[in-house]
């Protein structure tokens, strides 16, 4: 693996980064900043690391960042099989349950990457941060933010905590967003409700109608996606059959809209939506086996990109979902948060002690790339939920879109190459031309599935 060396000046002793929010972006930022010699204080309002969620994918653009923690090109030394999905193929099916396409799956393919239990992934990041001795504090509610000429910090649990910069990674419902950027654009309701769950496979042990899922691939995991008009169901196993997971996106359902990340919900709406599908009976056997209180839903809300991520004083920045909450169709929410974290740490390292320059250079390098992917994830929604199987000669739906420029990007190499240009544009008020997006500035909605095999 090629080692990138920085010629940055060493940081002054005690140079401190305060990170608010210890999800995927926040924990990665804590580790990346620590690796660059910075002192980190991580704050999380939850009492522990437990996180709701089902399955999340990390593609090559973020995998390469985590793998570097073990001086590797793969995650083998970081992950254990109990937090991943060991699948041999991603299967695309129609409402009749006919398998229309089986995409060979290889986690070493950067466009595919690894499938994780979300809770397992976050716990892996947390355990690695703990091994490094990073100062992580849980059960700490941040009540306010402050910024001065040479310092910035937060008020939390009656304490004033000071540092040289504040990184807000407090999620899509960020309280820091409007304080730091002056912006909090109203979200657009997409009219789509997402249901999801993951539970222990023993919950279906006494349900004969549900055993089909475990029998699909003994000793391996299964990941199937069923496409119908206004409905998409993903269903499978994780940790080699130890867990069952399913998710369902429904458009046009009459239900109360909520911005909550995830709230307890009955799966009855999903069961009703499947009753007219020829494959509905077998899918419903899994859905109906969901333990009480383990099904969650959320309204899929689309937020337009922010115009800036950095505070007026230049010592506070938002990253991850706080800066750019994604709809799930591009599969890049966690990936882009990890990219943010890596580029932030590089810019802090390269800028010496000029923290405002670092944060503004990071924004230059990242903003247009993320905003374009954010917009693309919204545009892809119609493709997923129209889900037309184009013709009898086509073995895949129009829904499955991938762009190599998103998934194969090396943000670490790119940040080192671009830092001086970004810093120059900040210092001199010049336009910065990004090189991590297509030259035509388009997300590119072509079907690239054939390139993945």
């Amino acid at each position: 693996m090629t080692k990138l060396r920085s010629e940055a000046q060493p940081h002054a002793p005690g140079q401190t980064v305060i990170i608010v929010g210890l999800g995927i972006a926040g924990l990665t930022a804590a580790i990346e900043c620590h690796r660059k010699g910075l002192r980190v204080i991580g704050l999380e309002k939850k009492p522990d690391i437990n996180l709701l969620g089902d399955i999340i994918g990390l593609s090559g653009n973020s995998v390469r960042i985590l793998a570097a923690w073990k001086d590797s090109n793969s995650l083998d030394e970081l992950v254990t099989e109990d937090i991943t999905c060991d699948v041999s193929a991603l299967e695309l099916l129609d409402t009749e349950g006919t398998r229309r396409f089986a995409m060979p799956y290889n986690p070493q393919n950067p466009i595919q990457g690894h499938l994780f239990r979300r809770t397992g992934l976050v716990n892996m990041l947390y355990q690695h941060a703990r091994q490094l001795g990073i100062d992580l504090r849980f059960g700490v509610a941040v009540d306010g933010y402050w910024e001065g000429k040479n310092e910035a910090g937060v008020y939390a649990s009656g304490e004033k905590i000071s540092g040289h910069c504040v990184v807000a990674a407090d999620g899509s419902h960020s309280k820091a967003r409007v304080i730091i950027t002056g912006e909090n654009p109203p979200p657009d309701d997409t009219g789509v409700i997402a249901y999801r769950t993951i539970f222990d496979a023993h919950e279906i042990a006494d349900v004969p109608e549900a055993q089909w899922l475990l029998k699909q691939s003994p000793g391996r995991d299964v990941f199937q996606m069923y496409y119908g008009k206004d409905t998409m169901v993903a269903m499978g196993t994780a940790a080699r059959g130890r867990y069952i997971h399913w998710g369902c996106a429904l458009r046009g359902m009459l239900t109360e809209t909520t911005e909550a990340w995830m709230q307890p919900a009955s799966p009855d709406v999903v069961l009703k939506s499947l009753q007219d599908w020829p494959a509905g009976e077998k899918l419903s056997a899994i859905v109906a086996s969901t333990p009480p209180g383990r099904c969650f839903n959320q309204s899929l809300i689309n937020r337009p990109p922010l115009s800036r991520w950095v505070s007026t004083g230049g010592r506070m920045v938002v990253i991850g979902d706080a800066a750019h909450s994604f709809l799930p169709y591009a599969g890049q929410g966690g990936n882009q948060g990890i990219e943010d974290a890596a580029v932030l740490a590089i810019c802090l390292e390269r800028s010496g002690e000029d923290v405002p320059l670092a944060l503004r250079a990071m924004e230059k390098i990242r903003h247009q790339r993320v905003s374009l992917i954010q917009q693309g994830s919204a545009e892809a929604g119609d493709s997923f939920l129209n889900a037309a199987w184009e013709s009898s000669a086509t073995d895949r739906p129009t829904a499955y879109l991938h762009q190599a420029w998103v998934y194969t990007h090396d943000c670490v190499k790119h940040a080192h190459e671009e830092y001086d240009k970004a810093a120059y544009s900040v210092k001199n008020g010049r336009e910065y031309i990004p090189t991590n997006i297509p030259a035509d500035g388009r997300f590119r909605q072509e079907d690239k599935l054939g390139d993945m095999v």
Side-chain angles (χ1 to χ4, degrees), residues 96-114:
E96 295 184 355
T98 301
R99 189 174 73 173
R100 303 293 294 270
F101 188 79
M103 185 195 321
Y105 181 80
N106 175 10
Q108 305 307 321
N109 181 333
I111 296 181
Q112 293 179 323
H114 294 258

Side-chain angles (χ1 to χ4, degrees), residues 147-148 152 164-165 308 310-317 354-360:
E147 182 176 38
H164 294 87
C165 69
R308 64 190 183 100
V310 179
S311 62
T312 302
R315 289 187 174 269
M316 299 192 292
V317 64
D354 194 340
V355 170
L357 175 62
L359 301 192
R360 289 169 177 147

Side-chain angles (χ1 to χ4, degrees), residues 115-394:
L115 296 171
F116 288 91
R117 289 191 299 113
R118 185 183 292 267
T119 300
L121 172 62
V122 173
N123 189 61
M124 180 195 80
L125 298 174
Y126 168 67
Q127 294 298 336
H128 189 69
R130 279 192 61 192
Q131 291 172 6
L132 295 174
I134 299 174
D135 182 359
L136 304 179
R137 308 175 190 180
F138 290 83
V140 178
V142 172
D143 304 312
Y145 294 77
W146 60 270
E147 182 176 38
K149 181 178 180 181
N150 299 311
E151 290 185 313
V154 300
Y155 298 100
S157 302
E159 179 185 1
K160 181 179 181 180
I161 303 175
S162 301
H164 294 87
C165 69
V166 173
V167 179
D170 54 338
S172 59
H173 304 297
S174 169
K175 294 182 178 179
R177 182 190 296 120
V178 68
I179 297 170
I180 292 175
T181 70
E183 300 178 26
N184 197 27
D188 297 322
D189 182 8
T190 65
V192 178
I193 307 294
Y195 290 77
R196 63 184 73 186
T197 188
I198 186 168
F199 54 88
D200 197 291
H202 72 69
E203 298 287 352
I204 67 169
D206 297 325
V207 185
E209 300 82 3
Q211 296 304 308
W212 66 269
L213 184 59
L214 295 177
K215 294 176 180 178
Q216 289 283 303
S217 183
R220 299 290 298 271
D221 286 311
V222 180
F223 198 101
Q224 298 182 333
M225 290 167 284
Y226 295 79
Y227 291 93
K229 180 68 174 176
D230 293 327
T231 306
M232 191 276 283
V233 176
M235 186 171 287
T237 62
R240 298 192 176 184
R242 179 179 171 185
Y243 299 95
I244 303 291
H245 65 84
W246 63 263
C248 179
L250 298 171
R251 181 165 57 187
M253 301 301 295
L254 296 177
T255 186
E256 184 178 353
T257 298
T258 174
E259 284 193 60
W261 152 233
M262 288 174 66
Q263 61 178 357
S266 167
D268 289 349
V269 174
V270 177
L271 292 170
K272 183 178 180 180
S273 73
L274 296 176
Q275 64 186 6
D276 295 328
W277 284 22
E281 185 175 352
K282 74 172 191 176
L283 298 179
S284 294
I286 302 293
V287 174
S289 299
T290 304
R294 295 299 299 275
C295 178
F296 298 88
N297 75 357
Q298 67 180 123
S299 298
L300 296 188
I301 300 297
N302 181 36
R303 290 185 183 274
L306 301 173
S307 64
R308 64 190 183 100
W309 299 348
V310 179
S311 62
T312 302
R315 289 187 174 269
M316 299 192 292
V317 64
V318 288
I319 67 169
D321 285 347
H324 44 74
S325 56
F326 281 79
L327 290 170
Y329 307 113
Q332 282 294 297
N335 289 283
Q336 292 305 310
I338 291 171
E339 283 194 22
D340 287 348
V343 176
L344 170 69
I346 289 168
C347 290
L348 284 168
E349 180 186 39
R350 294 289 297 269
S351 70
E353 297 182 15
D354 194 340
V355 170
L357 175 62
L359 301 192
R360 289 169 177 147
M362 174 268 191
E363 181 185 67
K364 293 285 187 185
I365 293 170
R366 295 286 301 147
H367 186 272
Q368 292 191 55
R369 171 175 168 81
V370 175
S371 296
L372 188 58
I373 301 171
Q374 187 180 4
Q375 291 172 324
S377 71
E379 294 167 5
D382 282 340
S383 295
F384 270 81
L385 292 168
N386 287 336
W389 294 93
E390 296 171 325
S391 71
S392 60
T394 301

